[in-house]
Amino acid sequence: MLGIAFFFFQPSLDAQKIIGIGTRYNDTFRQWLITTADDELKGELLMRWEFRDDWTEWDLQIGDLTATIEQKWKDDPNLWEIRCEGVVVNAKTVWPGEFNRWKLNDGQHQFNWGTEFFNQRDHWQSNNGGKESMEIYTYWEGDPREWVVDDNLPVDVSAAMKIAMVFLALHYSTPRI
């Protein structure tokens, strides 16, 4: 009976799978629209305190799924906390001040996340490569307004971990406008 119940709930998990993300408006990177595998299910990534110009706190919502993304300390952009569905992901730069290489840990999984090349921030990937990996890259080369998300991570990797990867790529690849 449990197998049957799991079978019926599996499509809703796949429906929340992020496949793309783009800016709501062409002239700012403070509001993002999320595209999922389900055409009917859309989401948003929003700067929490937009009018204060505070880039340290964000909120994400896709259907019933919500997440909070916060810098651990306001004056240290090297450490972030991503919370979603009871899971907390700690994201820390490999080297202080180098925002293109990160270590991510949610207590169950650990990933290295970063850009393919040091000076090019339009292609990010997880360390494990191959079939079980995550990549995010710009839809158009050199244009950070639209991104493709290629999520091939195992099903036991948390939504919080995947959100952390997407957020870090966006946040550290786009201008502060």
Side-chain angles (χ1 to χ4, degrees), residues 2 10 17-18 22 59 87 89 118 125 129 134 139 142 146 149 154 169-170 177:
L2 183 60
Q10 185 65 31
K17 182 177 181 178
I18 299 172
D59 296 302
V87 176
V89 174
F118 184 80
Q125 58 193 9
M134 177 102 157
Y139 189 77
E146 290 188 46
V149 179
L170 296 173
I177 56 173

Side-chain angles (χ1 to χ4, degrees), residues 62-174:
I62 303 171
D64 293 338
L65 180 80
T66 60
T68 60
I69 304 162
E70 298 176 356
Q71 253 180 232
K72 184 83 172 173
W73 293 282
K74 293 282 187 201
D75 60 345
D76 185 5
N78 293 286
L79 186 60
W80 288 81
E81 257 186 12
I82 297 86
R83 295 175 181 271
C84 180
E85 298 183 316
V87 176
V88 178
V89 174
N90 288 300
K92 182 178 182 180
T93 54
V94 173
W95 299 102
E98 291 186 15
F99 302 110
N100 65 322
R101 298 270 188 263
W102 294 84
K103 289 191 177 290
L104 308 175
N105 189 335
D106 68 2
Q108 185 177 2
H109 294 95
Q110 195 168 342
F111 287 96
N112 290 324
W113 177 247
T115 58
E116 187 174 22
F117 302 108
F118 184 80
N119 63 343
Q120 205 171 5
R121 296 194 183 200
D122 58 355
H123 185 204
W124 292 67
Q125 58 193 9
S126 61
N127 61 320
N128 51 342
K131 292 181 182 177
E132 294 186 340
S133 65
M134 177 102 157
E135 287 185 78
I136 179 171
Y137 50 90
T138 55
Y139 189 77
W140 299 101
E141 188 175 333
D143 184 352
R145 293 175 298 172
E146 290 188 46
W147 295 77
V148 175
V149 179
D150 188 12
D151 175 3
N152 295 304
L153 292 173
V155 293
D156 67 328
V157 174
S158 67
M161 181 67 76
K162 295 174 183 185
I163 290 166
M165 291 177 179
V166 170
F167 173 77
L168 291 169
L170 296 173
H171 191 71
Y172 287 102
S173 300
T174 57

